[in-house]
Structures are given as C-alpha cells and as structure tokens.
Amino acid sequence: MPDTTDVIAAAEARAAALADGDAARLLELLHPDFCWTTHTGQVFDRTDYVRRNTEGVTVWRSQALVDPRVRVVGDTAVLLAEVADVVLGADGEPETFRMPMTQVWVRRGAGWVCLAGHAGPRLTATPTAG
C-alpha cells in the first residue's frame, strides 16, 4: 500500500500548495499535460489552473480531503474523495465548498504528479467562522 499512501500524500501536498498560493510547488505536482474541470464546468490547462489559483482569481485558505480512496493500476492512480475547500468569497469572507473530487495521478520517477481532475457538483456552501 505504499503507492496509495504516496498518492494521498501528493494530493495533500497539492492542497497545501493551493492554500499557500505556491505556484512553483503546484507546478511540480502537476503533469505538463494537466487539465482540470471545475464544479461550474470550466476546463483549465496547467498554466491557467496555476494562474487562477495562485494569482488572486481564487484565494484559497485550505482544502481538506475527506475519506480519500485510491486505486492504483501500474503507473496510474485514481483518487476519489470529498473535499472541503475554504476560499475567500466575493465579500472577502471565507466560504466553504464541499464536493466530490476525482484526480488522476501518474508516476514520475519515485513520485506522483496529477494529470487531471474534476470537482463537483457543489454539495454545500456555508460561511466559515474567522
């Protein structure tokens, strides 16, 4: 089960890079051919995804993976989880989004990089205290 543990660790590192606004770290964790589909149906390539998530379009506070499950086949892994995303809303107040998320990871050297992902549909939205 080391692959499963490593994929979850990589997904958590990606979540931390989002929360930290760390573009360099995020780029390290994303495959050059990365693509992401948002809960609103927008599709972003790696460049647009990193820009939108580190340059103020979406301002992250945290992302928590709830009950992550991983299936590994060879050098490919699929991670399924519910996420709790805390981002700043239009009013500048933290807002929590809960939604299912799927990520596809591929082995690169001794580690894993995210090739693709999808989040949604949005399950709830609630103000987050403080």
Side-chain angles (χ1 to χ4, degrees), residues 59-122:
V59 180
W60 288 85
R61 291 297 178 240
S62 66
Q63 180 178 76
L65 304 177
V66 180
D67 190 29
R69 298 166 311 282
V70 177
R71 303 289 186 268
V72 178
V73 178
D75 290 334
T76 304
V78 175
L79 180 141
L80 304 168
E82 183 176 304
V83 291
D85 295 340
V86 180
V87 298
L88 290 187
D91 60 1
E93 293 298 318
E95 186 176 2
T96 299
F97 291 73
R98 294 186 72 86
M99 62 189 83
M101 181 184 67
T102 303
Q103 295 177 345
V104 178
W105 292 80
V106 293
R107 193 183 315 270
R108 181 168 63 185
W112 293 87
V113 292
C114 190
L115 176 61
H118 174 266
R122 189 172 166 187

Side-chain angles (χ1 to χ4, degrees), residues 4-93:
T4 297
T5 302
D6 291 346
V7 169
I8 292 170
E12 290 173 341
R14 176 197 150 275
L18 286 172
D20 294 340
D22 187 341
R25 180 67 178 132
L26 199 51
L27 283 168
E28 290 174 3
L29 293 162
L30 303 180
H31 190 278
D33 293 328
F34 172 85
C35 64
W36 187 268
T37 303
T38 71
H39 69 284
T40 62
Q42 295 175 291
V43 179
F44 299 114
D45 66 11
R46 182 180 186 226
T47 300
D48 286 338
Y49 180 85
V50 171
R51 181 184 55 77
R52 292 181 64 84
N53 286 291
T54 63
E55 294 181 12
V57 176
T58 301
V59 180
W60 288 85
R61 291 297 178 240
S62 66
Q63 180 178 76
L65 304 177
V66 180
D67 190 29
R69 298 166 311 282
V70 177
R71 303 289 186 268
V72 178
V73 178
D75 290 334
T76 304
V78 175
L79 180 141
L80 304 168
E82 183 176 304
V83 291
D85 295 340
V86 180
V87 298
L88 290 187
D91 60 1
E93 293 298 318

